Amino acid sequence: MALDLHFRSSSVEIKSTREIDAMREVGRLAGDSLMKVAELIRPGVTTNELNQFVHEDTLKKGARPAPLNYRNGDSPPFPKSICTSLNEVVCHGIPSQRVLREGDIVNVDITHIYRGFHGDTSATFYVGKPSEEAKLVTEVARRSLELGIAEVRPGARLGDIGAAIQEFAEARGCSVVEDFVGHGIGRKFHDEPKVAHYGERGKGMRLKAGMTFTIEPMINLGTHEVEILDDEWTAVTADGRLSAQFEHTVLVTATGVEVLTARAGRLANSEIFPDYFG
Ligand code: MF3
Ligand code: CO
Ligand code: CO
């Protein structure tokens, strides 16, 4: 898939103070749902049960789940309220009767709409005790997102984000998915700019205070190539090896970055190896 990554800063929305307040609110709500669903993850639970929980939790807050019936180009409407992407699934996995099993990794991706604005966040979770491979790909993905976020400030370029992620992931023997990227976000779910998780420092659009976008690196153990299943949504690694992903919605502030989907506490079944990289 060819992605046009050339955007002019002027074509990217700068949010007003009021809009930023709304983005903060929806971001916090989405992060809160992710923290709560984390507690349910264990062997024996189905991905439909995770979907049902988040669906109800979203409505309880007066928010709506953005994925439900979402259309992207020619694809059929997405049938569920969250994405659940297991093991070799890179992204856009559809919740089903599939039971979580000991040793699986599963990404849960939540997007709320509240007061007209979107908040988009995801994490990869361990089901029971992970294999060394599962740990590696998951912890590399987690750190990749942190390193990408650390590049965000006014005047930095999109390529700085991509390069930081790509350099780290490849140094750890993993690969970076290119066919799916982060995105501008606000009243629209997927807006400009496209935020590639690979690239060159000093290249790409310059960031300006008031921009809001996601960073959501998908990191594979083997090839970066992906394939789409017949359901027209589920993206899997071409070699069937593991893939992991983490996502935050961020705001470029006057001095740096604010993570709009930051959470109030630790993520159960995910943030359990704080010393992985020493
Ligand atoms: N939340 C995904 C993202 O990070 C998009 C999911 S679209 C859906 O951009 F329709 F698959 F839900
Ligand atoms: Co996103
Ligand atoms: Co998402």
Side-chain angles (χ1 to χ4, degrees):
M1 194 200 305
L3 289 170
D4 182 4
L5 299 172
H6 299 278
F7 290 96
R8 303 188 57 79
S9 301
S10 58
S11 71
V12 174
E13 216 175 73
I14 302 299
K15 264 77 176 175
S16 68
T17 309
R18 276 182 67 94
E19 291 172 324
I20 290 167
D21 282 342
M23 289 292 292
R24 241 184 225 121
E25 211 162 350
V26 66
R28 189 176 53 75
L29 295 179
D32 174 72
S33 282
L34 191 63
M35 266 191 74
K36 285 199 233 157
V37 74
E39 305 280 349
L40 303 185
I41 292 171
R42 57 181 159 74
V45 169
T46 67
T47 52
N48 267 344
E49 290 175 293
L50 303 180
N51 177 73
Q52 189 61 29
F53 173 83
V54 176
H55 182 85
E56 284 166 15
D57 191 56
T58 306
L59 297 184
K60 235 187 259 169
K61 296 164 170 165
R64 286 187 295 132
L68 189 59
N69 296 318
Y70 182 71
R71 285 167 170 285
N72 197 7
D74 294 335
S75 61
F78 192 80
K80 299 284 180 173
S81 298
I82 61 171
C83 299
T84 50
S85 301
L86 272 134
N87 300 330
E88 76 284 359
V89 179
V90 171
C91 62
H92 303 166
I94 302 173
S96 71
Q97 297 301 338
R98 167 71 154 81
V99 170
L100 299 181
R101 293 190 286 256
E102 175 82 25
D104 283 339
I105 53 173
V106 60
N107 174 279
V108 177
D109 193 336
I110 296 178
T111 312
H112 286 178
I113 308 172
Y114 188 71
R115 289 171 53 193
F117 288 86
H118 291 76
D120 190 4
T121 186
S122 85
T124 297
F125 297 92
Y126 298 110
V127 183
K129 186 178 150 49
S131 66
E132 281 309 313
E133 283 201 332
K135 236 161 132 172
L136 173 70
V137 73
T138 302
E139 296 309 318
V140 168
R142 184 194 318 279
R143 180 60 64 88
S144 293
L145 171 58
E146 291 168 358
L147 291 171
I149 291 172
E151 296 293 328
V152 177
R153 68 187 75 91
R157 291 176 180 268
L158 283 177
D160 301 339
I161 300 172
I165 292 169
Q166 185 177 20
E167 284 163 15
F168 177 75
E170 291 181 357
R172 295 286 172 164
C174 295
S175 69
V176 176
V177 171
E178 298 179 0
D179 286 2
F180 297 97
V181 296
H183 49 92
I185 184 168
R187 289 189 181 275
K188 281 178 146 175
F189 191 170
H190 294 108
D191 204 351
E192 292 180 13
K194 292 186 171 66
V195 181
H197 305 109
Y198 56 91
E200 287 177 60
R201 284 179 195 280
K203 298 265 174 84
M205 192 194 75
R206 241 182 233 291
L207 305 182
K208 287 188 187 164
M211 289 180 175
T212 52
F213 53 85
T214 73
I215 306 177
E216 49 181 297
M218 285 143 275
I219 304 297
N220 296 352
L221 261 189
T223 179
H224 73 276
E225 295 288 347
V226 311
E227 286 169 7
I228 308 294
L229 300 187
D230 287 342
D231 62 23
E232 297 181 56
W233 279 107
T234 310
V236 297
T237 56
D239 58 8
R241 296 188 70 194
L242 295 176
S243 184
Q245 178 181 26
F246 289 82
E247 174 175 25
H248 272 307
T249 298
V250 304
L251 164 72
V252 185
T253 66
T255 52
V257 64
E258 180 178 331
V259 178
L260 297 172
T261 45
R263 296 171 293 265
R266 206 178 54 87
L267 265 191
N269 296 302
S270 184
E271 293 172 323
I272 57 176
F273 301 114
D275 301 325
Y276 187 80
F277 296 109

